Amino acid sequence: MERKEGTKKLVAGIFFIVGIILTIYVILLLGKDKGLTESKFQVTVYFRDVGGLIEGAPVRLAGVNVGTVSMIDFLEKASEGRRVRVILNIYEKFKEQFIGKNAKFSVQTEGILGEKLIIINIMEGGRSLNFDKPVLGEDPIDVQELAEVFAMAAESFTKTSQTLSEIDMQELSDVVGETAESWSITAKGINKVLEEMHDISIKSKRLIDRIEQRIIDGDLFKVF
């Protein structure tokens, strides 16, 4: 009887140990997939507004997950108008992508549910990223403000369409016709004046030619 009890306890202990080992293995496996066991370095970014960004959100560079958001808190004193501090944990294996580069950090929205994440864009030229100093991040696009702008544009377009529809096209056609006729009469008048000026010019030239010829012949006063 005692031997059976001992056997049961041994088997239970073995299962318990195996369960613990499997649990640790699964945790390590999942942690590796999530990058929990990888070495990281930190980058501090200051934002005016993070637009609902949460800790644990992904950080991406060129579409690749390179880290996660480690912490979000407020600064005691604003820095260049920015009051929110975001600390990013970037995987050490991607550090070479940032060395000697100028990087822009921005909060963006992804997916239908509007998941917030940090997007890193490597910029050409400019100041190289210093991991020991905070970086000034770009403000996220205000979707509400953007929607209001589109709404105002649509309203303006609707009012313009209504105004155009209210114009009496026949009246507009009559006005255009009268204007065209007026321009035609004006053009004819200008042409007539030009023709008369041309005739006067020809006659004046003939008179001047005759006077010059009289002067040459020495009998200018005979004309008068």
Side-chain angles (χ1 to χ4, degrees), residues 11-186:
V11 172
I14 292 173
F15 274 107
F16 179 74
I17 294 173
V18 170
I20 291 177
I21 294 174
L22 289 176
T23 302
I24 294 174
Y25 175 76
V26 171
I27 291 174
L28 291 176
L29 185 63
L30 294 176
K32 184 177 180 180
D33 290 339
K34 295 294 183 180
L36 298 178
T37 59
E38 293 189 34
S39 58
K40 307 177 185 67
F41 67 95
Q42 290 188 336
V43 177
T44 301
V45 188
Y46 290 169
F47 291 97
R48 290 190 181 90
D49 186 346
V50 294
L53 183 72
I54 61 174
E55 296 179 1
V59 178
R60 290 182 185 168
L61 171 64
V64 178
N65 285 344
V66 297
T68 57
V69 175
S70 173
M71 185 177 69
I72 302 174
D73 63 358
F74 287 98
L75 295 169
E76 294 181 359
K77 184 178 180 181
S79 176
E80 298 191 30
R82 292 164 170 81
R83 299 189 61 87
V84 183
R85 174 174 55 194
V86 178
I87 298 179
L88 310 179
N89 281 338
I90 308 297
Y91 302 141
E92 189 73 28
K93 64 181 180 181
F94 296 115
K95 192 170 185 177
E96 292 184 0
Q97 302 297 325
F98 299 92
I99 295 176
K101 305 289 181 61
N102 178 23
K104 182 178 73 172
F105 296 77
S106 59
V107 179
Q108 295 189 18
T109 303
E110 181 184 55
I112 299 176
L113 299 178
E115 178 189 8
K116 302 294 181 179
L117 69 161
I118 297 290
I119 297 295
I120 305 174
N121 291 312
I122 300 299
M123 312 297 292
E124 294 294 335
R127 183 181 301 176
S128 299
L129 183 64
N130 186 347
F131 302 116
D132 298 325
K133 294 183 179 180
V135 181
L136 299 181
E138 302 290 327
D139 293 333
I141 297 175
D142 191 334
V143 178
Q144 181 63 32
E145 183 178 349
L146 190 62
E148 290 177 358
V149 171
F150 279 119
M152 291 175 62
E155 183 179 357
S156 177
F157 179 77
T158 302
K159 289 182 179 179
T160 303
S161 300
Q162 291 176 350
T163 301
L164 291 175
S165 64
E166 292 173 357
I167 295 176
D168 189 338
M169 299 306 295
Q170 182 60 42
E171 181 179 352
L172 181 62
S173 176
D174 294 340
V175 171
V176 172
E178 292 176 359
T179 303
E181 184 178 357
S182 176
W183 284 351
S184 176
I185 294 173
T186 302

